[in-house]
Amino acid sequence: MAAGLAVVLGACNSSKKSDVADAAPNPFFTEYTTPFGVPPFDKIEVAHYKPAFEKGMEEQKKEIDAIVNNPEEPTFENTIVALDRSGELLTKVMYAFSGQSSVNTTDEIQALEQELYPVLSAHSDDISLNPALFTRVKVVYDKQASMNLNKEQKKLLEETYKGFVRGGANLDADKQARLRELNEKISVLELTFGQNVLKETNAFKLVVDNKEDLAGLPESLIAAAAETAAADSMEGKWIFTLHNPSVMPFLQYADNRALREKIFKAYINRGNNSNGNDNKNVVKELVAARLDKAKLLGYEDFAAFVLDENMAKNEKNVYNLLDQIWTPALKKAKEELADINAEIKKEGGDFEAEGWDWRYYADKARQAKFNMDENEVRPYLELNHVREGAFYVANKLYGITFTEIKDIPKPDPDAFAFECKDKDGSSLGVLYMDFYTRPGKGGGAWCGGYRDQSYKDGKKVLPVVTTVFNFSKPAAGQPALLSADEAETVFHEFGHALHGLFADVHYTGVAGVPRDFVELPSQVMEHWVFEPEVLKVYAKHYQTGEVIPQELVDKIVKSSKYGQGFATVEYLAASLLDMDYHTLKEQLSGMDIEAFEAEAMNKRGLIRQIPPRYRTTYFGHTMEGGYTAGYYSYIWAEVLDADAFEAYKETGDIFNPEVASKFRKNVLTPGGIDDAMDMYKNFRGKEPGIEPLLKNRGLK
């Protein structure tokens, strides 16, 4: 579809005018004059967004009208390229708005989202359901054999035509009207779901006022909890939250079982508290609307509609992969549960483990088996060192460098900015890294952008990429020490960033890759995190500068597969839940969300101590629209990344320059010009197998 719609997920149409401060010129209405042309975050006010959206939609409408009313015969340039280039202002404001609303949202921004997203959805439909525009696109599509198009141009034409068909262009007027209603409803429900989860996450506070209740917790976590309490006018107390850097280590280390139970139950019941932020009815309406949309477009269910664009192609292939891994993973998880219950008995406990016990006693079991305490590792994983480790790996593989930029607008004052340069010294773009959790930031970690790579007037426009994390901000004067999992997260999101920085395509419409391929560049980077050669470069004690001892490296390697039963099962459970919702082929009258989830898990034998990684009412990956019928993508891509890393290992050099060059050329650079499996085979020379994945996870 059109350039502006690739990031808008909907788009809009409004005749209302909004008030904006006369004293503050709207920065969206002129070229950015900032270094590297990044958004002037310090000058953008909330009041600037709505008029910029309105003008952006108005301009794109005029551009579409110009294409439709062009008296000349439709051609690739005057129709397909013109459509791809349309919506420049809309894209510009959408990047800034979506980026900032995810990392620094406010009540005012959330209200604006609720107002704008239905309008944006209508604008998107005005384009995809424009019959005269589709007629011109079809004329070009039908005569492509007579055109001298290159591979990228052919792909753009194919994707543009397919986008119109999938957008309802072939439906009759009544069905198109219904599709508009469904698209608007879906966009609002997805937005509401995400806002509810953030409110639920921020609403809970576990306040500890007895120092004895802190037993077992690392000093860094205690200090962070004290600062959180002080910021909330509770000096002398400690506050733990449902943000992952707080709740997960609490569950892993807190000796107080009653408090572990309290915070665990609060975590797994977000959006399921029958209050104003409850998501059960939101999910019911959303699943129903998605099914209606799929059937309207000729698909038997919503998963079929989604997977038609993915590598997996159909739901049978997805379930086959998940089921292959489920059986050995569940077996391994039950073995881990036996270890956990043995640890409980060893301590004299007379109870069987529950969900709030798993991380706590699994940590003890790991220590017993491998003499491995994660807190031994943290001092060697100081955040800045881990970041430099990721930069080191990229330099060794591709010859690129990262230099910090000080004097540049940032998405948040705590964020860092870097210029990425290629090995020939040419600039590849800007990378932001936003590390610390805060109330206005969405949960989890992700990679986004404030500008994608493109070409304008024949000149390459460099990308502005952002990686976002939710690590606990350290207490004043203290370092940010990461867990092993958090270190992997830095490398993971950095892998996504490299994908964005290396991109080199001429058309927006071919920039994207299938959802189940997009995790390959990120997940393959994780393989270098704990390679001994890499650890010796970046894993240095934050106080002494001592390189991590080989003995500790050996412990990391030996213990790395322990706990994969739990990790794999909780992930697969969420993936299966996502698929089960979106392979429904008929509406379930009076659908009970809790019962549906329970049945989905019970029929596969999920043990009660392991809830899905994301339960329904806070499962943002699927319910907010990013990974709908696509959460399986992480494990699908893991088949690819495990096999891809074997290509390096087979040469005896994990930094083999020839392999890295092939990976960059065939996977990281071409966007979606080639079929995803063809891209992989162009790199690897063959299709991947599942064996390396099972081996890496210790499931075989």
Side-chain angles (χ1 to χ4, degrees):
M1 291 305 296
L5 304 185
V7 287
V8 178
L9 184 90
C12 36
N13 196 356
S14 173
S15 59
K16 281 177 140 184
K17 300 295 178 186
S18 59
D19 297 327
V20 63
D22 295 334
N26 196 316
F28 294 116
F29 294 159
T30 58
E31 287 289 323
Y32 295 155
T33 58
T34 53
F36 301 94
V38 303
F41 300 107
D42 53 334
K43 293 183 170 56
I44 296 173
E45 301 174 4
V46 176
H48 291 140
Y49 287 119
K50 186 176 178 181
F53 271 117
E54 290 173 339
K55 186 174 182 181
M57 290 183 283
E58 182 183 344
E59 287 187 2
Q60 189 172 32
K61 185 178 184 304
K62 289 178 181 177
E63 291 162 347
I64 299 302
D65 288 344
I67 297 171
V68 169
N69 296 320
N70 189 335
E72 297 177 6
E73 181 75 10
T75 66
F76 180 77
E77 286 293 330
N78 71 21
T79 300
I80 307 302
V81 175
L83 178 58
D84 189 70
R85 296 281 188 261
S86 71
E88 183 178 347
L89 174 57
L90 184 57
T91 301
K92 179 180 178 181
V93 64
M94 192 65 202
Y95 273 125
F97 182 71
S98 61
Q100 289 304 92
S101 65
S102 64
V103 299
N104 275 313
T105 196
T106 62
D107 290 344
E108 189 179 4
I109 287 176
Q110 290 188 344
L112 189 57
E113 286 178 314
Q114 290 283 354
E115 178 184 355
L116 285 174
Y117 273 67
V119 185
L120 288 166
S121 177
H123 174 73
S124 178
D125 286 339
D126 285 344
I127 296 174
S128 60
L129 299 176
N130 185 317
L133 181 60
F134 179 54
T135 296
R136 288 185 68 92
V137 169
K138 192 173 186 305
V139 167
V140 181
Y141 182 78
D142 288 343
K143 66 179 183 181
Q144 62 181 291
S146 64
M147 299 177 181
N148 186 28
L149 301 179
N150 62 32
K151 183 167 67 172
E152 186 175 0
Q153 292 168 331
K154 288 179 181 177
K155 184 67 169 180
L156 176 64
L157 178 54
E158 175 187 327
E159 291 300 313
T160 303
Y161 178 78
K162 187 163 57 174
F164 273 93
V165 173
R166 286 174 59 83
N170 283 329
L171 299 178
D172 62 34
D174 288 344
K175 288 183 177 178
Q176 286 189 353
R178 175 60 177 154
L179 182 61
R180 285 176 178 271
E181 293 174 1
L182 290 169
N183 284 341
E184 178 178 333
K185 184 175 185 178
I186 289 169
S187 71
V188 171
L189 289 169
E190 289 175 347
L191 176 66
T192 301
F193 183 95
Q195 291 184 349
N196 285 347
V197 173
L198 182 59
K199 290 173 184 174
E200 286 277 275
T201 302
N202 287 335
F204 177 85
K205 298 171 186 174
L206 178 63
V207 181
V208 175
D209 55 13
N210 184 346
K211 195 168 185 177
E212 292 180 2
D213 290 333
L214 303 174
L217 297 176
E219 284 301 322
S220 58
L221 185 65
I222 293 172
E227 287 213 344
T228 302
D232 203 21
S233 301
M234 294 189 194
E235 288 84 356
K237 298 182 181 182
W238 299 266
I239 290 180
F240 299 90
T241 73
L242 298 184
H243 294 283
N244 276 3
S246 183
V247 63
M248 292 307 166
F250 191 93
L251 289 170
Q252 184 172 347
Y253 297 116
D255 292 341
N256 189 313
R257 187 172 187 242
L259 291 183
R260 292 203 311 269
E261 179 180 3
K262 183 176 182 180
I263 200 168
F264 175 84
K265 288 183 174 179
Y267 183 82
I268 67 167
N269 282 298
R270 286 174 295 161
N272 186 27
N273 292 305
S274 301
N275 56 18
N277 301 323
D278 196 275
N279 270 331
K280 292 191 289 293
N281 283 330
V282 175
V283 171
K284 281 195 287 189
E285 291 185 40
L286 182 54
V287 170
R290 286 172 173 169
L291 178 57
D292 285 347
K293 176 177 177 175
K295 291 198 166 188
L296 198 62
L297 292 169
Y299 294 87
E300 63 176 356
D301 56 46
F302 197 74
F305 171 71
V306 171
L307 295 172
D308 191 39
E309 292 282 275
N310 285 1
M311 289 181 75
K313 300 304 180 188
N314 60 65
E315 56 205 52
K316 179 182 177 183
N317 291 336
V318 175
Y319 278 119
N320 281 345
L321 174 64
L322 299 179
D323 290 343
Q324 279 185 73
I325 305 169
W326 177 262
T327 300
L330 187 60
K331 179 175 180 288
K332 183 68 70 174
K334 289 178 178 178
E335 292 172 4
E336 293 167 5
L337 178 59
D339 290 344
I340 287 168
N341 281 323
E343 288 296 321
I344 293 172
K345 287 184 179 178
K346 191 189 299 182
E347 289 191 351
D350 61 352
F351 58 90
E352 188 176 345
E354 298 294 344
W356 50 91
D357 298 313
W358 193 291
R359 286 177 172 83
Y360 181 76
Y361 285 103
D363 190 63
K364 290 181 178 295
R366 181 184 289 106
Q367 290 185 44
K369 283 178 174 289
F370 304 100
N371 191 26
M372 174 68 182
D373 181 355
E374 191 175 80
N375 286 311
E376 287 184 77
V377 179
R378 280 183 181 270
Y380 296 94
L381 299 181
E382 193 273 328
L383 174 57
N384 294 314
H385 291 171
V386 174
R387 180 192 69 204
E388 291 303 316
F391 290 173
Y392 168 82
V393 170
N395 177 259
K396 288 280 286 184
L397 290 171
Y398 308 112
I400 62 176
T401 58
F402 291 84
T403 306
E404 186 172 0
I405 314 167
K406 297 281 191 180
D407 189 19
I408 190 172
K410 299 173 183 177
D412 185 84
D414 283 339
F416 296 86
F418 302 88
E419 180 185 9
C420 177
K421 287 186 178 180
D422 212 339
K423 56 187 173 184
D424 63 2
S426 61
S427 186
L428 287 169
V430 172
L431 169 65
Y432 287 116
M433 303 188 89
D434 183 355
F435 290 119
Y436 303 123
T437 189
R438 51 184 173 269
K441 182 190 279 191
W446 66 91
C447 179
Y450 289 99
R451 183 176 67 227
D452 282 345
Q453 175 273 326
S454 64
Y455 279 84
K456 186 175 182 180
D457 300 326
K459 184 179 179 182
K460 188 176 182 180
V461 178
L462 300 180
V464 178
V465 182
T466 182
T467 50
V468 183
F469 308 87
N470 269 285
F471 303 144
S472 291
K473 190 172 183 178
Q478 297 297 311
L481 304 179
L482 304 185
S483 67
D485 183 63
E486 288 171 332
E488 285 190 336
T489 300
V490 172
F491 275 67
H492 178 102
E493 301 306 336
F494 181 65
H496 280 307
L498 292 180
H499 197 186
L501 290 165
F502 282 150
D504 191 4
V505 297
H506 291 82
Y507 307 107
T508 300
V510 296
V513 297
R515 175 58 68 191
D516 48 10
F517 187 82
V518 77
E519 295 299 331
L520 167 59
S522 56
Q523 291 179 186
V524 77
M525 279 296 295
E526 296 179 32
H527 289 271
W528 279 273
V529 182
F530 295 115
E531 283 290 322
E533 182 179 347
V534 180
L535 281 170
K536 288 173 183 176
V537 171
Y538 80 86
K540 299 176 181 179
H541 197 284
Y542 78 98
Q543 289 174 315
T544 67
E546 173 200 14
V547 173
I548 190 168
Q550 186 60 47
E551 178 187 2
L552 191 50
V553 173
D554 293 341
K555 286 183 185 180
I556 292 172
V557 173
K558 289 177 182 176
S559 66
S560 62
K561 293 180 176 61
Y562 189 76
Q564 281 299 316
F566 171 87
T568 306
V569 164
E570 68 158 5
Y571 163 77
L572 292 175
S575 300
L576 290 162
L577 185 59
D578 170 34
M579 289 299 296
D580 286 357
Y581 275 118
H582 296 105
T583 53
L584 286 172
K585 294 168 178 57
E586 299 295 337
Q587 303 289 1
L588 296 183
S589 178
M591 184 181 193
D592 183 324
I593 294 299
E594 291 179 283
F596 182 89
E597 179 182 302
E599 170 60 20
M601 298 300 98
N602 290 340
K603 71 182 180 183
R604 295 179 172 98
L606 179 66
I607 53 181
R608 73 175 189 279
Q609 292 87 351
I610 305 181
R613 181 174 296 174
Y614 298 101
R615 296 191 64 201
T616 302
T617 54
Y618 55 91
F619 197 171
H621 282 79
T622 183
M623 297 306 170
E624 291 182 55
Y627 283 78
T628 305
Y631 193 60
Y632 76 90
S633 299
Y634 290 92
I635 206 82
W636 185 279
E638 193 173 337
V639 173
L640 302 176
D641 76 66
D643 184 78
F645 193 64
E646 286 292 311
Y648 291 92
K649 291 167 68 176
E650 287 165 5
T651 70
D653 178 8
I654 61 171
F655 294 110
N656 185 284
E658 292 179 7
V659 177
S661 179
K662 286 179 68 176
F663 190 78
R664 176 175 176 174
K665 176 184 177 182
N666 295 297
V667 175
L668 299 178
T669 296
I673 296 172
D674 289 317
D675 175 80
M677 186 56 78
D678 288 341
M679 283 196 285
Y680 189 81
K681 289 190 293 186
N682 290 341
F683 157 65
R684 190 70 165 104
K686 66 180 183 68
E687 291 193 9
I690 196 173
E691 296 303 310
L693 177 146
L694 295 175
K695 182 180 175 184
N696 284 350
R697 284 188 171 245
L699 302 178
K700 184 174 180 179

